[in-house]
C-alpha cells in the first residue's frame, strides 16, 4: 500500500534502474529537458497526468485499487 507520492517516485526510479533507462533518455522520450523531468521526479505531489506520462514513456501501465482503510490489516 502506497501512502505518499514519494514511494511512487522511488518505485519509478527503481524501474528506471532495472530497465537501464537514464533520466536523459526518459526525458527525450517525453520531449522534455532533463531538468524538467528531474523536477517532476522530485515533486512532493506528482500529478496523475505526469505519472501517466512517465509510465507510458517507460512502457508501463498503472493499476490502481482503492482499499477501505479498515481492510488494510
Amino acid at each position: 500500500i502506497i501512502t505518499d507520492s514519494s514511494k511512487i517516485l522511488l518505485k519509478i526510479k527503481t524501474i528506471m534502474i532495472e530497465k537501464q533507462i537514464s533520466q536523459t533518455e526518459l526525458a527525450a522520450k517525453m520531449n522534455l529537458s532533463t531538468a524538467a523531468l528531474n523536477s517532476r521526479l522530485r515533486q512532493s505531489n506528482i500529478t496523475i497526468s505526469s505519472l501517466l506520462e512517465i509510465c507510458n514513456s517507460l512502457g508501463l501501465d498503472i493499476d490502481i485499487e482503492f482499499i477501505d482503510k479498515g481492510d488494510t490489516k
Side-chain angles (χ1 to χ4, degrees), residues 3-52:
T3 55
D4 62 63
S5 62
S6 65
K7 291 180 182 178
I8 294 171
L9 295 172
L10 180 60
K11 181 64 176 174
I12 288 172
K13 291 173 189 175
T14 301
I15 291 168
M16 289 173 64
I17 291 168
E18 290 170 354
K19 291 182 170 250
Q20 298 180 342
I21 297 174
S22 69
Q23 284 190 14
T24 302
E25 292 169 313
L26 182 57
K29 286 183 179 187
M30 297 174 65
N31 293 319
L32 295 173
S33 68
T34 303
L37 176 62
N38 188 36
S39 176
R40 289 186 187 188
L41 293 175
R42 288 186 288 119
Q43 291 177 354
S44 60
N45 288 311
I46 189 166
T47 65
I48 292 174
S49 60
S50 288
L51 181 60
L52 286 169

Side-chain angles (χ1 to χ4, degrees), residues 2 8 51-52 55 60-67:
I2 295 176
I8 294 171
L51 181 60
L52 286 169
C55 288
L60 302 171
D61 287 324
I62 299 173
D63 182 15
I64 298 174
E65 181 179 358
F66 294 95
I67 303 168

